[in-house]
Amino acid sequence: MRVLGIDCGTERTGFAVVDSQLRGHRLVAAGVIVTSPKLPLASRLCSIAQGLRDVMRLHAPGEAAIEEVFHAVNVKSTLKLAHVRGVAMLAVTEAGLSLGEYSPLEVKMSVVGYGRAEKSQVQLMVRSLLELRTPEELAVVAKEDAADAMAVAICHANHLTSQRKMGVAS
Amino acid sequence: MRVLGIDCGTERTGFAVVDSQLRGHRLVAAGVIVTSPKLPLASRLCSIAQGLRDVMRLHAPGEAAIEEVFHAVNVKSTLKLAHVRGVAMLAVTEAGLSLGEYSPLEVKMSVVGYGRAEKSQVQLMVRSLLELRTPEELAVVAKEDAADAMAVAICHANHLTSQRKMGVAS
């Protein structure tokens, strides 16, 4: 299965396309959609939606996954993040992909095996699970938002795999 | 000028298309996009985006306006509302419309002349300003979300008119 993981952010939205099979995961593409804080939110939402649509058109994932929005201390940023998340959910669903949603805890549990793992531990595990070795791969996993998107994609792939093993999914 | 006003809601998103000229405002179309709480948020976001795109295609507004998201007591509903608002902003901006954003206070000030006006007062003023008389018009303004969308559209039209009078807008 080919999964698109998305890590939403107003300034930086990470994405990762991961192929998952019984013998493991493989990174197809990953990166960060960066939008300028100088632009109005509406324009930034357009760039993020367009960026995600481009990724889906180029790499044709069949599934998508996104983190649940956390209730951060800063209400204003959380609300902006929810705008971005709405747009990402729309882009993905309009492209016909089914969407999995996971809490940050679930993602860390799935990838690191520990719900309170640090960002750096997530990056390390993602690098190992995807066997990232080339300079390009190491450069992209060094970007926190891209690494988080990889983690979300792996979490969803693991979830689907175990569901299928249990015969509850199609 | 022809303005699309939007009143975002997860279950009920009001919309109104209003023509505004020097001698006053005229209602072109209004209604409510209703989505079932039984559906996942992603599907509901698709219905809302598609509904707004249909309205824009049918009535070709040149401007759009939306209320700023208020920080409600219920964080969960506010976050859902922000998802809807992001999707509405995307649909409008991708259709090439410029977007005005107003606080509930600004909308009420512009339409009723009083920032703490009740919903019923907004409905009454909107009905009067748009000279709504037919049974169909009275039925649509009786829907709170549609009336709120009319108020947002009138607020934006008033704002643009005064800006143009002052020669600061194009």
Side-chain angles (χ1 to χ4, degrees), chain A residues 7-89:
Chain A
D7 179 56
C8 288
T10 322
E11 285 191 32
R12 304 173 59 82
T13 289
F15 65 88
V17 180
V18 171
D19 270 344
S20 292
Q21 285 162 337
L22 281 180
R23 61 179 182 280
H25 309 282
R26 188 181 69 83
L27 183 66
V28 177
V32 179
I33 303 163
V34 182
T35 68
S36 163
K38 287 178 190 161
L39 291 177
L41 181 58
S43 314
R44 299 167 79 178
L45 295 175
C46 288
S47 304
I48 293 164
Q50 207 43 58
L52 292 176
R53 288 178 192 140
D54 289 345
V55 170
M56 290 185 281
R57 204 182 46 246
L58 266 172
H59 303 291
E63 307 275 347
I66 194 169
E67 270 194 14
E68 282 165 10
V69 69
F70 54 92
H71 304 187
V73 183
N74 185 334
V75 181
K76 215 171 153 185
S77 344
T78 310
L79 284 178
K80 267 196 191 168
L81 180 65
H83 282 67
V84 174
R85 196 168 178 275
V87 159
M89 289 173 83

Coordinates of all heavy atoms in Angstrom, one line a residue, chain A residues 7-89:
Chain A
D7 N 1.8 16.3 7.9 CA 2.0 17.0 9.2 C 1.6 18.5 9.0 O 2.5 19.2 8.5 CB 3.4 16.8 9.7 CG 3.7 17.5 11.0 OD1 3.0 17.2 12.0 OD2 4.6 18.4 11.1
C8 N 0.4 18.8 9.4 CA -0.1 20.2 9.1 C 0.6 21.3 9.9 O 1.0 21.1 11.1 CB -1.6 20.3 9.4 SG -2.6 19.4 8.3
G9 N 0.8 22.4 9.3 CA 1.4 23.6 9.9 C 1.1 24.8 9.1 O 1.0 24.7 7.9
T10 N 0.9 26.0 9.7 CA 0.5 27.2 9.0 C 1.7 27.6 8.1 O 1.6 27.9 7.0 CB 0.1 28.3 9.9 OG1 -0.7 27.7 11.0 CG2 -0.7 29.3 9.2
E11 N 2.9 27.5 8.7 CA 4.1 27.9 8.0 C 4.8 26.8 7.3 O 5.4 27.0 6.2 CB 5.2 28.6 9.0 CG 4.7 30.0 9.4 CD 5.9 30.7 10.1 OE1 7.0 30.5 9.8 OE2 5.5 31.5 11.0
R12 N 4.7 25.6 7.9 CA 5.4 24.5 7.3 C 4.5 23.2 7.4 O 4.2 22.8 8.5 CB 6.7 24.2 8.1 CG 7.7 25.4 8.1 CD 8.9 25.2 9.0 NE 9.7 24.0 8.6 CZ 10.5 24.1 7.6 NH1 10.8 25.2 7.0 NH2 11.2 23.0 7.2
T13 N 4.1 22.7 6.3 CA 3.3 21.5 6.2 C 4.2 20.4 5.6 O 4.5 20.4 4.5 CB 2.0 21.7 5.4 OG1 1.1 22.5 6.1 CG2 1.3 20.4 5.1
G14 N 4.5 19.4 6.5 CA 5.3 18.3 6.0 C 4.4 17.2 5.3 O 3.3 17.0 5.6
F15 N 5.0 16.6 4.3 CA 4.3 15.5 3.6 C 5.3 14.3 3.4 O 6.5 14.6 3.2 CB 3.7 15.9 2.3 CG 4.7 16.4 1.3 CD1 5.2 15.4 0.4 CD2 5.1 17.7 1.2 CE1 6.2 15.8 -0.6 CE2 6.0 18.1 0.2 CZ 6.6 17.2 -0.7
A16 N 4.8 13.1 3.3 CA 5.6 12.0 3.0 C 4.8 10.9 2.4 O 3.7 10.6 2.8 CB 6.3 11.4 4.3
V17 N 5.3 10.3 1.3 CA 4.6 9.2 0.6 C 5.5 8.0 0.9 O 6.7 8.0 0.6 CB 4.5 9.4 -0.9 CG1 3.8 8.3 -1.6 CG2 3.7 10.7 -1.2
V18 N 4.9 7.0 1.5 CA 5.6 5.8 1.9 C 4.9 4.5 1.4 O 3.7 4.4 1.4 CB 5.6 5.7 3.5 CG1 6.1 4.4 4.0 CG2 6.4 6.9 4.1
D19 N 5.7 3.7 0.8 CA 5.2 2.4 0.3 C 5.4 1.3 1.4 O 6.6 1.3 2.0 CB 6.0 1.9 -0.9 CG 5.4 2.3 -2.2 OD1 4.2 2.7 -2.2 OD2 6.1 2.3 -3.3
S20 N 4.4 0.6 1.8 CA 4.5 -0.4 2.9 C 4.1 -1.7 2.4 O 3.1 -1.9 1.8 CB 3.7 0.1 4.0 OG 4.2 1.2 4.6
Q21 N 5.0 -2.7 2.7 CA 4.7 -4.1 2.4 C 5.1 -4.9 3.6 O 5.6 -4.4 4.6 CB 5.5 -4.5 1.1 CG 4.8 -3.9 -0.1 CD 5.8 -4.0 -1.3 OE1 7.0 -4.0 -1.1 NE2 5.2 -3.9 -2.5
L22 N 4.9 -6.2 3.5 CA 5.1 -7.1 4.6 C 6.6 -7.0 5.1 O 6.9 -7.0 6.3 CB 4.8 -8.5 4.3 CG 3.3 -8.8 4.4 CD1 3.0 -10.3 4.0 CD2 2.7 -8.5 5.8
R23 N 7.5 -6.8 4.1 CA 8.9 -6.8 4.5 C 9.4 -5.4 5.0 O 10.6 -5.2 5.3 CB 9.8 -7.3 3.4 CG 9.7 -6.6 2.1 CD 10.7 -7.2 1.1 NE 10.6 -6.4 -0.2 CZ 9.7 -6.5 -1.1 NH1 8.7 -7.3 -0.9 NH2 9.7 -5.7 -2.2
G24 N 8.5 -4.4 5.0 CA 8.9 -3.1 5.6 C 8.4 -1.9 4.8 O 7.5 -2.1 3.9
H25 N 8.9 -0.8 5.1 CA 8.5 0.5 4.5 C 9.6 1.1 3.6 O 10.8 0.9 3.9 CB 8.2 1.5 5.6 CG 7.3 1.0 6.7 ND1 5.9 0.9 6.6 CD2 7.5 0.6 8.0 CE1 5.4 0.4 7.7 NE2 6.3 0.2 8.6
R26 N 9.1 1.8 2.6 CA 10.1 2.5 1.7 C 9.6 3.9 1.4 O 8.4 4.1 1.1 CB 10.2 1.7 0.4 CG 11.3 2.1 -0.5 CD 11.3 1.3 -1.8 NE 10.1 1.6 -2.7 CZ 10.0 2.6 -3.5 NH1 11.0 3.4 -3.7 NH2 8.9 2.8 -4.2
L27 N 10.5 4.8 1.5 CA 10.2 6.2 1.2 C 10.1 6.5 -0.3 O 11.1 6.2 -1.0 CB 11.2 7.2 1.9 CG 10.8 8.7 1.8 CD1 9.5 9.0 2.5 CD2 12.0 9.5 2.2
V28 N 9.0 7.0 -0.7 CA 8.8 7.4 -2.1 C 9.2 8.8 -2.4 O 9.9 9.2 -3.3 CB 7.4 7.1 -2.6 CG1 7.2 7.5 -4.1 CG2 7.0 5.6 -2.4
A29 N 8.6 9.7 -1.5 CA 8.9 11.1 -1.6 C 8.5 11.8 -0.3 O 7.7 11.3 0.4 CB 8.0 11.7 -2.7
A30 N 9.2 12.9 0.0 CA 8.8 13.7 1.2 C 9.3 15.1 1.0 O 10.2 15.4 0.2 CB 9.5 13.0 2.4
G31 N 8.8 16.0 1.8 CA 9.2 17.3 1.7 C 8.3 18.2 2.6 O 7.5 17.7 3.4
V32 N 8.5 19.5 2.5 CA 7.8 20.5 3.3 C 7.2 21.6 2.4 O 7.9 22.1 1.5 CB 8.7 21.1 4.4 CG1 8.0 22.1 5.2 CG2 9.3 20.0 5.3
I33 N 5.9 21.9 2.5 CA 5.3 23.0 1.8 C 5.4 24.2 2.7 O 4.9 24.2 3.8 CB 3.8 22.7 1.5 CG1 3.7 21.4 0.7 CG2 3.2 23.9 0.8 CD1 2.2 20.9 0.7
V34 N 6.3 25.2 2.3 CA 6.5 26.3 3.2 C 5.7 27.5 2.6 O 5.6 27.8 1.4 CB 8.0 26.7 3.1 CG1 8.3 27.9 4.0 CG2 8.9 25.5 3.5
T35 N 5.0 28.2 3.5 CA 4.3 29.4 3.1 C 4.7 30.6 3.9 O 5.0 30.5 5.1 CB 2.7 29.2 3.3 OG1 2.5 29.2 4.7 CG2 2.2 28.0 2.6
S36 N 4.8 31.8 3.3 CA 5.3 33.0 4.0 C 4.3 33.5 4.9 O 3.1 33.7 4.6 CB 5.6 34.0 2.9 OG 5.7 35.3 3.5
P37 N 4.7 33.9 6.2 CA 3.8 34.5 7.1 C 3.4 35.9 6.7 O 2.5 36.5 7.3 CB 4.7 34.5 8.4 CG 6.0 34.2 8.0 CD 6.0 33.6 6.7
K38 N 4.0 36.4 5.7 CA 3.7 37.7 5.2 C 2.4 37.7 4.3 O 1.7 38.7 4.1 CB 4.8 38.3 4.3 CG 6.0 38.8 5.2 CD 7.1 39.3 4.3 CE 8.3 39.5 5.1 NZ 9.5 39.6 4.3
L39 N 2.0 36.5 3.8 CA 0.8 36.3 3.0 C -0.4 36.2 3.9 O -0.3 35.6 5.0 CB 1.0 35.1 2.1 CG 2.0 35.2 1.0 CD1 2.1 33.9 0.2 CD2 1.7 36.3 0.0
P40 N -1.6 36.6 3.4 CA -2.8 36.3 4.1 C -3.1 34.8 4.2 O -2.6 34.0 3.3 CB -3.9 37.0 3.3 CG -3.3 37.5 2.0 CD -1.8 37.3 2.1
L41 N -3.8 34.4 5.3 CA -4.0 33.0 5.5 C -4.7 32.3 4.3 O -4.3 31.2 4.0 CB -4.9 32.9 6.8 CG -5.3 31.4 7.2 CD1 -4.0 30.6 7.5 CD2 -6.2 31.4 8.4
A42 N -5.6 33.1 3.7 CA -6.3 32.5 2.5 C -5.4 32.0 1.4 O -5.5 30.9 0.9 CB -7.4 33.5 2.0
S43 N -4.4 32.8 1.1 CA -3.4 32.5 0.1 C -2.5 31.3 0.5 O -2.2 30.4 -0.3 CB -2.4 33.6 -0.2 OG -3.1 34.8 -0.3
R44 N -2.2 31.3 1.8 CA -1.4 30.2 2.3 C -2.2 28.9 2.3 O -1.6 27.8 1.9 CB -0.9 30.5 3.7 CG -0.1 31.8 3.8 CD 0.1 32.3 5.2 NE 1.1 31.5 5.9 CZ 1.5 31.8 7.1 NH1 1.0 32.8 7.8 NH2 2.5 31.1 7.7
L45 N -3.5 28.9 2.5 CA -4.3 27.7 2.4 C -4.3 27.2 1.0 O -4.2 26.0 0.8 CB -5.7 28.0 2.9 CG -5.9 28.4 4.4 CD1 -7.3 28.8 4.7 CD2 -5.4 27.3 5.3
C46 N -4.4 28.1 0.0 CA -4.3 27.7 -1.4 C -3.0 27.0 -1.7 O -3.0 26.0 -2.4 CB -4.5 29.0 -2.3 SG -6.2 29.6 -2.3
S47 N -1.9 27.6 -1.3 CA -0.6 27.0 -1.6 C -0.5 25.6 -1.0 O 0.0 24.6 -1.6 CB 0.5 27.8 -1.0 OG 0.5 29.1 -1.4
I48 N -1.0 25.4 0.3 CA -0.9 24.1 0.9 C -1.8 23.1 0.2 O -1.4 22.0 -0.1 CB -1.4 24.3 2.4 CG1 -0.3 25.1 3.2 CG2 -1.5 22.9 3.1 CD1 -0.8 25.6 4.5
A49 N -3.1 23.5 -0.1 CA -4.0 22.6 -0.9 C -3.3 22.2 -2.2 O -3.3 21.0 -2.6 CB -5.3 23.2 -1.1
Q50 N -2.8 23.2 -2.9 CA -2.2 22.9 -4.2 C -1.0 22.0 -4.1 O -0.8 21.1 -4.9 CB -1.9 24.3 -4.9 CG -1.9 24.1 -6.4 CD -3.1 23.3 -7.0 OE1 -4.2 23.7 -6.7 NE2 -2.8 22.2 -7.7
G51 N -0.2 22.3 -3.1 CA 1.0 21.5 -2.9 C 0.6 20.0 -2.6 O 1.2 19.1 -3.2
L52 N -0.4 19.8 -1.8 CA -0.8 18.4 -1.5 C -1.4 17.8 -2.7 O -1.1 16.6 -3.0 CB -1.8 18.4 -0.3 CG -1.2 18.8 1.0 CD1 -2.3 18.9 2.1 CD2 -0.1 17.8 1.5
R53 N -2.2 18.5 -3.5 CA -2.7 18.0 -4.8 C -1.6 17.6 -5.7 O -1.7 16.5 -6.4 CB -3.7 19.0 -5.4 CG -5.0 19.2 -4.7 CD -5.8 20.3 -5.4 NE -6.9 20.7 -4.5 CZ -7.3 22.0 -4.4 NH1 -6.7 23.0 -5.1 NH2 -8.3 22.3 -3.7
D54 N -0.6 18.4 -5.8 CA 0.6 18.1 -6.7 C 1.2 16.7 -6.3 O 1.5 15.9 -7.1 CB 1.6 19.2 -6.7 CG 1.1 20.4 -7.4 OD1 0.1 20.3 -8.1 OD2 1.7 21.5 -7.2
V55 N 1.4 16.6 -4.9 CA 2.1 15.4 -4.4 C 1.2 14.2 -4.8 O 1.7 13.1 -5.2 CB 2.2 15.5 -2.9 CG1 2.7 14.2 -2.3 CG2 3.3 16.6 -2.5
M56 N -0.1 14.3 -4.6 CA -1.0 13.2 -4.9 C -1.1 12.8 -6.3 O -1.1 11.7 -6.7 CB -2.4 13.5 -4.3 CG -2.5 13.5 -2.8 SD -4.2 13.7 -2.2 CE -4.4 15.4 -2.4
R57 N -1.0 13.9 -7.2 CA -1.0 13.6 -8.6 C 0.3 12.9 -9.1 O 0.3 12.0 -9.9 CB -1.2 14.9 -9.4 CG -1.8 14.8 -10.8 CD -1.9 16.1 -11.5 NE -0.7 16.9 -11.4 CZ -0.6 18.1 -10.8 NH1 -1.7 18.6 -10.2 NH2 0.5 18.7 -10.7
L58 N 1.4 13.4 -8.5 CA 2.7 12.8 -8.9 C 2.9 11.4 -8.4 O 3.5 10.6 -9.1 CB 3.8 13.7 -8.3 CG 4.4 14.8 -9.1 CD1 5.3 15.6 -8.3 CD2 5.2 14.2 -10.3
H59 N 2.4 11.1 -7.1 CA 2.8 9.8 -6.5 C 1.7 8.9 -6.3 O 1.9 7.8 -5.8 CB 3.6 10.1 -5.2 CG 4.8 10.9 -5.4 ND1 5.9 10.5 -6.1 CD2 5.1 12.2 -5.1 CE1 6.8 11.4 -6.2 NE2 6.4 12.5 -5.6
A60 N 0.4 9.3 -6.5 CA -0.8 8.5 -6.5 C -0.9 7.6 -5.2 O -1.0 6.4 -5.4 CB -0.8 7.6 -7.8
P61 N -0.8 8.1 -4.0 CA -1.1 7.3 -2.8 C -2.5 6.8 -2.8 O -3.4 7.5 -3.4 CB -0.8 8.3 -1.7 CG -1.1 9.6 -2.2 CD -0.7 9.6 -3.7
G62 N -2.8 5.7 -2.1 CA -4.1 5.2 -2.1 C -4.8 5.5 -0.7 O -6.0 5.3 -0.6
E63 N -4.0 5.9 0.2 CA -4.4 6.2 1.6 C -3.8 7.4 2.1 O -2.7 7.8 1.6 CB -4.0 5.0 2.6 CG -4.3 3.6 2.1 CD -5.7 3.3 2.5 OE1 -6.3 4.0 3.4 OE2 -6.3 2.2 2.1
A64 N -4.4 8.1 3.1 CA -3.8 9.3 3.7 C -3.9 9.2 5.2 O -4.8 8.6 5.7 CB -4.3 10.5 3.1
A65 N -3.0 9.9 5.9 CA -3.1 10.0 7.3 C -2.7 11.3 7.8 O -1.8 12.0 7.2 CB -2.3 8.9 8.0
I66 N -3.3 11.7 8.9 CA -3.0 13.1 9.4 C -3.1 13.0 10.9 O -3.8 12.1 11.5 CB -4.1 14.0 8.8 CG1 -3.8 15.5 9.0 CG2 -5.5 13.7 9.4 CD1 -4.8 16.3 8.1
E67 N -2.4 13.9 11.6 CA -2.5 13.9 13.1 C -3.7 14.7 13.5 O -4.2 15.6 12.9 CB -1.2 14.6 13.7 CG -0.1 13.6 13.9 CD 1.0 14.2 14.9 OE1 0.8 15.2 15.5 OE2 2.0 13.5 14.9
E68 N -4.3 14.2 14.7 CA -5.4 15.0 15.3 C -4.8 16.3 15.7 O -3.7 16.4 16.1 CB -6.0 14.2 16.4 CG -6.9 13.1 16.0 CD -7.2 12.0 17.1 OE1 -6.8 12.3 18.2 OE2 -7.7 11.0 16.7
V69 N -5.7 17.3 15.7 CA -5.2 18.6 16.2 C -5.2 18.6 17.7 O -6.1 18.1 18.4 CB -6.1 19.8 15.6 CG1 -7.5 19.7 16.2 CG2 -5.5 21.1 15.8
F70 N -4.0 19.1 18.2 CA -3.9 19.1 19.7 C -4.3 20.5 20.2 O -4.2 21.5 19.4 CB -2.4 18.8 20.1 CG -1.5 19.7 19.4 CD1 -1.0 20.9 20.0 CD2 -1.0 19.4 18.1 CE1 -0.1 21.7 19.3 CE2 -0.1 20.2 17.5 CZ 0.4 21.4 18.1
H71 N -4.8 20.6 21.4 CA -5.2 21.8 22.0 C -4.0 22.5 22.6 O -3.7 22.3 23.8 CB -6.3 21.6 23.0 CG -7.5 20.8 22.5 ND1 -8.6 20.6 23.2 CD2 -7.7 20.2 21.3 CE1 -9.5 19.9 22.4 NE2 -8.9 19.7 21.3
A72 N -3.3 23.3 21.8 CA -2.1 24.0 22.3 C -2.5 25.1 23.2 O -3.6 25.5 23.3 CB -1.3 24.5 21.1
V73 N -1.4 25.6 23.9 CA -1.6 26.7 24.8 C -2.0 27.9 24.0 O -2.9 28.7 24.4 CB -0.3 27.0 25.6 CG1 -0.5 28.1 26.6 CG2 0.2 25.7 26.3
N74 N -1.4 28.2 22.9 CA -1.7 29.4 22.1 C -3.0 29.1 21.2 O -2.9 28.4 20.2 CB -0.5 29.7 21.2 CG -0.7 31.0 20.5 OD1 -1.8 31.4 20.2 ND2 0.4 31.7 20.1
V75 N -4.1 29.6 21.7 CA -5.4 29.4 21.0 C -5.3 29.9 19.5 O -5.8 29.2 18.6 CB -6.5 30.1 21.7 CG1 -7.9 29.8 21.0 CG2 -6.6 29.6 23.2
K76 N -4.7 31.0 19.3 CA -4.7 31.6 18.0 C -4.0 30.7 17.0 O -4.5 30.5 15.9 CB -4.0 33.0 18.0 CG -4.6 34.0 17.1 CD -4.0 35.4 17.4 CE -4.0 36.2 16.1 NZ -3.4 37.5 16.3
S77 N -2.8 30.2 17.4 CA -2.1 29.3 16.4 C -2.9 28.0 16.3 O -2.9 27.4 15.2 CB -0.7 28.9 17.0 OG -0.3 29.7 18.0
T78 N -3.5 27.5 17.3 CA -4.3 26.2 17.2 C -5.4 26.4 16.2 O -5.7 25.5 15.4 CB -4.8 25.8 18.6 OG1 -3.8 25.8 19.5 CG2 -5.4 24.4 18.5
L79 N -6.1 27.6 16.3 CA -7.2 27.8 15.3 C -6.7 27.9 13.9 O -7.3 27.4 13.0 CB -7.9 29.1 15.7 CG -8.8 29.0 16.9 CD1 -9.4 30.4 17.3 CD2 -9.9 28.0 16.7
K80 N -5.5 28.6 13.7 CA -4.9 28.6 12.4 C -4.6 27.3 11.8 O -4.8 26.9 10.7 CB -3.6 29.5 12.4 CG -3.9 31.0 12.1 CD -2.6 31.6 11.7 CE -2.8 33.1 11.7 NZ -1.5 33.8 11.6
L81 N -4.0 26.4 12.7 CA -3.7 25.1 12.4 C -4.9 24.3 12.0 O -4.9 23.5 11.0 CB -3.0 24.4 13.6 CG -2.6 22.9 13.4 CD1 -1.4 22.9 12.4 CD2 -2.1 22.4 14.7
A82 N -6.0 24.5 12.6 CA -7.3 23.8 12.3 C -7.8 24.2 10.9 O -8.3 23.4 10.2 CB -8.3 24.1 13.4
H83 N -7.5 25.5 10.5 CA -7.8 25.9 9.2 C -7.0 25.1 8.1 O -7.6 24.6 7.2 CB -7.5 27.4 8.9 CG -8.5 28.4 9.5 ND1 -8.7 28.5 10.9 CD2 -9.3 29.3 9.0 CE1 -9.6 29.5 11.1 NE2 -10.0 29.9 9.9
V84 N -5.7 25.0 8.4 CA -4.9 24.2 7.5 C -5.3 22.7 7.4 O -5.4 22.1 6.4 CB -3.4 24.3 8.0 CG1 -2.5 23.4 7.1 CG2 -2.9 25.7 7.9
R85 N -5.6 22.2 8.6 CA -6.0 20.8 8.7 C -7.3 20.6 7.9 O -7.4 19.5 7.2 CB -6.2 20.4 10.2 CG -6.2 18.9 10.4 CD -6.1 18.6 11.9 NE -6.2 17.2 12.1 CZ -7.4 16.5 12.2 NH1 -8.5 17.2 12.1 NH2 -7.4 15.2 12.3
G86 N -8.3 21.5 8.0 CA -9.5 21.4 7.2 C -9.2 21.3 5.7 O -9.8 20.5 5.0
V87 N -8.3 22.2 5.3 CA -7.9 22.2 3.9 C -7.2 21.0 3.4 O -7.5 20.4 2.3 CB -7.1 23.5 3.7 CG1 -6.2 23.4 2.4 CG2 -7.9 24.7 3.6
A88 N -6.4 20.4 4.3 CA -5.7 19.2 4.0 C -6.7 18.0 3.9 O -6.6 17.2 2.9 CB -4.6 18.9 5.0
M89 N -7.6 18.0 4.8 CA -8.6 16.9 4.8 C -9.5 17.0 3.5 O -9.8 16.0 2.9 CB -9.5 17.0 6.0 CG -8.8 16.7 7.3 SD -9.9 17.0 8.8 CE -10.9 15.5 8.8

